[in-house]
Amino acid sequence: MASAGMELMFNSVKSTLRSPQDGIICVLHWKIISSGFQCIGIGEKAGKNDPEEETEMLPDGWNMTPDLYVLRYRSERGVYVLKVIAVDGTLLVHFWKDREDQRVATMNIRIADFATEDLSSYKKALKHVNDLNKEFKKEILDEMKSTTSPRAGQSRERSNSRERERGGQSRQPRRDDDDDPLRVPGTGNRRPRPTQPWQDPDDPFSIGRGDLDPLRSGGGMLFDPMRGGRGPRFGMDPSAGLPSRLPRGAVPPGARFDPFGPPGTHPGQRPGPDPDHMRPPDYDDMFM
């Protein structure tokens, strides 16, 4: 059932109605009045000579612009503005508290769902009025009441006060950078870990070890006949695998070189057989 007095209000302005959306504005206006508001004029701001008299009726000039309606209301919480824009058969409804425009309640109303072209009477001009009242109360009035109630404001103030008292203690403890497996050591605001100072290797045979392990000092070859991973072995003969001995000084001590023959051989000693010593199949075939 529609709010009491709505039909009387509609009939009081029936002669000034110009379009179906005018009838919907009448419904919205009366729902606001029934919720404890009083209309004080048109426009978002009052003029210098506007007396802003509180009334339940629609003020003069409320439907002067066919696609734009702007009405001001006053309640015990302050002054509110209702702004409705008609676009392509839809009313875009906006409702906010004056001087506190951070929060705006909005909703869309399809004109054909609640109004007709016949403006001769209240019952012919409007339809589904109860549904429109429920939606407007839920989407607009209740929304603004919840965001501007003193209790909600006090709750937010208490919450902000507790945050200031804690001084940010509620923040999660910052994770130690040392526990981050993806962190590059020495980056960020923390002091880098101490690193071992560079030292020249005492072992000349350890030079080149960085070829295999770039994180260590020194280096080496994949196969070092003079070292073999267990320190220098001076018993290795540099001339192993050659027909005769190398001249003195041909291989300086500690030099890296590829062996001429397998370990354990002596100059002039022929290495064991290998596939290259075998004759190819049918080597004496003249037609090969």
Side-chain angles (χ1 to χ4, degrees):
M1 183 175 181
S3 302
M6 181 179 295
E7 185 173 357
L8 293 174
M9 193 274 301
F10 177 89
N11 290 331
S12 68
V13 296
K14 183 176 65 173
S15 61
T16 63
L17 300 180
R18 302 177 181 178
S19 61
Q21 57 260 32
D22 284 358
I24 295 179
I25 297 301
C26 292
V27 176
L28 303 184
H29 167 78
W30 191 248
K31 188 60 181 178
I32 295 175
I33 295 299
S34 302
S35 301
F37 292 81
Q38 293 289 315
C39 187
I40 57 176
I42 61 175
E44 296 186 20
K45 300 293 182 182
K48 295 181 179 180
N49 299 325
D50 194 342
E52 291 193 346
E53 295 180 356
E54 297 181 356
T55 177
E56 295 181 354
M57 303 302 296
L58 284 165
D60 295 337
W62 65 276
N63 61 345
M64 184 182 306
T65 304
D67 297 330
L68 178 63
Y69 307 85
V70 183
L71 299 169
R72 292 196 314 279
Y73 298 88
R74 177 181 288 127
S75 73
E76 59 182 7
R77 301 186 186 93
V79 177
Y80 292 79
V81 178
L82 174 68
K83 186 173 185 178
V84 182
I85 304 173
V87 179
D88 295 334
T90 302
L91 295 181
L92 309 181
V93 182
H94 308 270
F95 193 67
W96 69 89
K97 187 176 182 181
D98 191 22
R99 308 183 198 287
E100 295 182 9
D101 54 355
Q102 294 88 349
R103 297 296 302 270
V104 180
T106 63
M107 68 176 295
N108 297 338
I109 300 175
R110 189 170 180 266
I111 298 174
D113 292 343
F114 303 101
T116 67
E117 297 289 342
D118 188 354
L119 304 176
S120 60
S121 67
Y122 170 77
K123 292 184 178 180
K124 293 180 179 179
L126 298 171
K127 56 184 179 180
H128 309 303
V129 176
N130 291 335
D131 295 338
L132 179 57
N133 282 329
K134 291 179 182 178
E135 289 298 320
F136 184 72
K137 180 178 182 298
K138 176 182 176 182
E139 300 293 335
I140 300 296
L141 298 179
D142 291 348
E143 177 68 18
M144 291 304 298
K145 185 183 298 183
S146 64
T147 57
T148 58
S149 62
R151 181 176 300 177
Q154 293 174 2
S155 177
R156 289 193 295 269
E157 181 62 26
R158 287 196 298 268
S159 177
N160 295 335
S161 178
R162 287 195 296 268
E163 288 295 333
R164 289 193 295 268
E165 292 176 359
R166 284 197 294 264
Q169 295 179 2
S170 60
R171 297 179 181 177
Q172 294 293 334
R174 188 173 65 88
R175 179 178 178 179
D176 192 351
D177 292 341
D178 294 339
D179 298 334
D180 188 355
L182 302 179
R183 187 182 69 86
V184 178
T187 60
N189 297 328
R190 295 178 57 85
R191 297 180 60 185
R193 294 179 178 178
T195 57
Q196 295 295 332
W198 170 262
Q199 295 180 357
D200 293 333
D202 297 331
D203 184 2
F205 295 98
S206 65
I207 298 176
R209 187 181 302 167
D211 298 340
L212 302 180
D213 188 356
L215 300 181
R216 295 179 178 271
S217 61
M221 296 184 296
L222 291 175
F223 176 68
D224 189 350
M226 298 297 292
R227 184 161 176 261
R230 296 183 299 272
R233 287 169 29 189
F234 295 100
M236 173 66 70
D237 190 351
S239 303
L242 295 178
S244 61
R245 292 186 176 278
L246 293 173
R248 184 181 300 274
V251 180
R256 300 196 307 177
F257 70 98
D258 292 332
F260 298 103
T265 60
H266 301 285
Q269 180 181 355
R270 183 184 179 89
D274 59 30
D276 291 339
H277 297 162
M278 302 297 293
R279 295 178 180 179
D282 301 326
Y283 76 99
D284 56 349
D285 190 347
M286 61 178 296
F287 299 102
M288 288 294 294

